[in-house]
Every structure is written in structure tokens, then in C-alpha cells.
Amino acid sequence: MDFTLTPAHTELAKRVDEFVAEKIAPYRQEGDRAATYRPGLIADLAAAELFALRIPREYGGLGLDSVSSGIALERLAGGDLAVCFPVLNAGLIGGVLAENGTPGQRAAWLPPIARGEHLVALALTEPDHGTDAAGIRLTARPDGDGWVLDGEKTSIMIATHATHALVFARTGGEGAGGISAFHTALDDERVHREPLTDLGCRAGGRGRLVFDGLRVGPDNLVGTPGGGFRAVMRGFGVSRALIALMAIGVGNAALAEAYAHAKRRTAFDQPLGRHQSVTFPLVEHTTLLHAARLVSFEALCRADRGEDPRIPSNMAKWWAPKAAVEAVHQALLTLGHLGWSEDGPIAQRLRDVIGLQLADGTAAATKLTVARLLLGKEYAP
């Protein structure tokens, strides 16, 4: 078993680290306080080719593997978690479009995603349908050779920034088989946006999207009618491991601050790090994040080998955000009043990382997925 990165992976990690140090980390608190991305951020992400990571080369992307995405997102999250979401979406939605779109759709949609010209949102969650995503109610009513979209999506990351969305709508009967996916622009008067006020990741622009009679044509349909839900569920096999790594990136960044503080600060005439009550909890959380990181990369390696990544991916998704929240909390306690202060380096990270316990599937939903894969649906909850 080989745990080493390839030279290409190592070079990517170095390049993203340098980018984060120059373009992301210095602006983390500024974006949080302004509740929006700083001017020029999207252009910087595009110039660093971070939107292009998973887009196939023939459509202007880099065509890199899932492990590369994990490396990049883990490091981005260590700089500022909110910055990860447009990059994560480009990979997830770009993958759905590449796998299910026609040649014409791929040629029209994928290059502008790779260039950062189209920021894509995943419009799945609804006010009454989060974990129960197969029960969504937004309708796509047949209209000539197209459909008319009516209904609301909520808790949509980058909703206020996005130019386009992959919208899931009910075109048929009840359940997953009645859901279709449509890729559409959002610059229409029949699409209304409303930002939501959040605990954390405030720059990320989470919000509501209300579709009030938006007409979409046959070229907007992704894949086959009724195939939308299954398409995005396949993508979650990778994205859940990526979100786990984003949580780990935040947790390790907070722990790094705590270790630095333990060396810098003295109490009772010696560095804080000499006290077991300070250092041992940090070591415990470092150990748990390290183990969660290995499970996350196992999932991505399986995906890159063409194997089913869902068991380790869902294991990582329920465990890593929980472990990261607890690690950041311990870092806050280590820094004391500096950790508690919004002027310090920790408080925002704690607010931000809590949201990853919900994103792309709650702990209950991901545990259910693992249970059904291990037991079989007939024996699982």
C-alpha cells in the first residue's frame, strides 16, 4: 500500500499552497465581514485553473483525477472554506454534464465553466425537502417542445454569485424516477434570488432561488427525462469525500494556530505546550483528522480506479466534519480569549465548518447509505 503522492500531485499541492498564501488567506476575514467574495476572486481562481481541474481536456479543462481535486480543495479550505464552493461545484456539476450531456451540450457548457465565466450552482434542496431529495416538488410543466419551471430551491450555495444552475425538477410521478435535471442560465426576470443570513461561510452567498414560470427548452435537459436524480447521486460518491477533505483542511488550519500559540504563549513560567492538558487534546484531534483524511483519499483513489467509492466516501462525510468541528473547538479553547474573539483566527473557522455537517448529506443520510451498502436495502433502515 503506497501512501505517497505522485510528482504531479506534489506539484499541484505546492502551487495551490502558494496561491492560497497570496490570494486567499489574507482576505478570509474581509470576505466574512462583507458577506461576499472580494472583487477579483473569481478571476484569480480561474487564472489558477481551479475551475478546470475536473473538466475534460477536450473542453478546455485539465482533466485531472479525483485525488487532485481533493488536494486542491483541502488546501483552499485551509485558507478560506467559503472559497471552495464554486470550485467544488465546477467539478461536481461539470462531471454530471460531461457524463450525461450531448456532444453539443458539453461543447457549449463545459469550456465556460473551466474558464470561470459560468459559475454553477446545484439547485436540489427545497424548503420541505433536504435529506428527502427524492421528494422535491419544483415542477417542470411540459410546454411545446420544452418545459416551464415553477417552485423554490433553498439553501443553495453560491446562489447569489452563480450565473447558471443545474436545476432538479419533477417531470413525472413520485419518487426519484420522476425527477429530471435542467442546466439553465439564471439571468432571467423569472428567476428571483434571495440571500440567506448564515452562521458561517457568509461570503459563499447561500440563498433561495425562486422559479416563476421560467421556460427551458429541450437543449436544457441533461440526460433523459427522469434521470436527473440518479445522475447527481452518482456525483455525490466523489463530492462527499471532497467535502470531508474541506472540513479536514479547516480543522488542521485551526490546529496549526493552536500549536503555534502553545509554543508562543507562556503560563506558569513555561510554554503552554509543556502542559499535558493543553497538548494532549490537540494530539488527539490531529490523530482523528489524519485518520479521516486517509479514509477520504481512499474514496477518491477508488473512484479514480473505476471502483465504487461510496462506502469510504460516506464514512468520511459523516465523520470528518464532526471531527473537524471538535478540533476547531479545541483550538478555540487553547487560544482562550483570542480564540473567542472574532478578531482572532479561530472563531470564523468554527462558524464556517459547522455547515459541512449538513452539506451534501447529513450524518444520518450518509450513515444510511453505508448501512444499505453493507447490509442490503432489505435489511437496513
Side-chain angles (χ1 to χ4, degrees):
M1 187 176 293
D2 186 359
F3 290 100
T4 58
L5 297 176
T6 68
H9 289 148
T10 302
E11 176 57 30
L12 174 64
K14 178 176 181 291
R15 182 162 62 85
V16 176
D17 282 340
E18 292 171 350
F19 174 78
V20 167
E22 179 183 357
K23 301 289 188 180
I24 303 300
Y27 306 99
R28 175 170 61 89
Q29 291 179 311
E30 174 187 315
D32 180 67
R33 289 168 183 151
T36 191
Y37 293 141
R38 66 171 175 82
L41 172 67
I42 300 303
D44 287 340
L45 292 169
E49 299 183 295
L50 290 168
F51 296 123
L53 292 172
R54 296 285 286 150
I55 303 297
R57 287 184 177 275
E58 58 266 36
Y59 298 106
L62 298 178
L64 299 183
D65 56 13
S66 300
V67 168
S68 296
S69 290
I71 290 168
L73 284 165
E74 181 184 18
R75 284 160 168 77
L76 276 178
D80 183 358
L81 179 60
V83 169
C84 292
F85 294 103
V87 176
L88 176 72
N89 282 4
L92 171 59
I93 296 173
V96 172
L97 299 179
E99 183 176 341
N100 298 279
T102 66
Q105 288 173 329
R106 294 195 294 267
W109 294 337
L110 294 177
I113 293 175
R115 294 192 297 264
E117 296 166 3
H118 290 183
L119 295 185
V120 286
L122 184 73
L124 178 62
T125 300
E126 296 182 3
D128 296 321
H129 298 282
T131 299
D132 181 19
I136 63 170
R137 308 311 309 168
L138 187 144
T139 60
R141 173 173 51 84
D143 180 62
D145 62 350
W147 295 264
V148 174
L149 304 184
D150 282 292
E152 177 186 342
K153 299 295 183 178
T154 194
S155 195
I156 308 303
M157 284 307 299
I158 72 166
T160 63
H161 304 297
T163 63
H164 292 69
L166 186 63
V167 183
F168 295 85
R170 188 158 299 283
T171 54
E174 296 297 316
I179 297 173
S180 301
F182 300 90
H183 184 68
T184 182
L186 298 176
D187 58 344
D188 191 289
E189 62 182 8
R190 291 161 295 185
V191 180
H192 309 285
R193 310 185 200 214
E194 178 186 330
L196 297 173
T197 302
D198 293 334
L199 175 68
C201 283
R202 293 169 177 169
R206 191 178 71 99
R208 299 170 64 232
L209 294 172
V210 179
F211 296 85
D212 185 14
L214 177 69
R215 191 182 190 283
V216 293
D219 290 341
N220 295 104
L221 177 68
V222 181
T224 59
F229 184 80
R230 292 180 179 86
V232 75
M233 287 296 113
R234 287 194 295 271
F236 282 171
V238 169
S239 69
R240 285 177 173 169
L242 296 176
I243 289 176
L245 285 166
M246 287 158 51
I248 291 163
V250 178
N252 280 327
L255 289 174
E257 298 277 4
Y259 282 119
H261 183 77
K263 292 189 289 185
R264 183 173 60 242
R265 178 72 179 267
T266 60
F268 307 104
D269 300 321
Q270 57 184 337
L272 281 182
R274 295 292 300 275
H275 299 281
Q276 292 182 7
S277 61
V278 172
T279 299
F280 284 7
L282 297 179
V283 170
E284 291 171 7
H285 289 293
T286 300
T287 303
L288 291 172
L289 288 182
H290 180 75
R293 187 173 187 267
L294 294 178
V295 176
S296 303
F297 275 113
E298 178 193 347
L300 299 181
C301 286
R302 287 182 181 275
D304 288 337
R305 292 198 299 261
E307 301 172 7
D308 188 345
R310 287 178 296 168
I311 288 178
S313 178
N314 282 278
M315 286 176 171
K317 176 58 184 68
W318 80 255
W319 179 26
K322 179 178 184 292
V325 168
E326 293 170 352
V328 179
H329 183 202
Q330 186 62 48
L332 185 151
L333 297 177
T334 303
L335 269 69
H337 72 88
L338 180 60
W340 178 248
S341 172
E342 285 285 2
D343 293 325
I346 302 298
Q348 180 193 338
R349 294 192 193 278
L350 183 57
R351 289 190 287 102
D352 287 351
V353 77
I354 287 171
L356 295 187
Q357 293 184 290
L358 303 172
D360 245 25
T362 63
T366 49
K367 289 176 185 178
L368 178 63
T369 299
V370 175
R372 288 177 173 178
L373 290 168
L374 293 176
L375 289 169
K377 288 186 178 181
E378 64 271 33
Y379 300 108

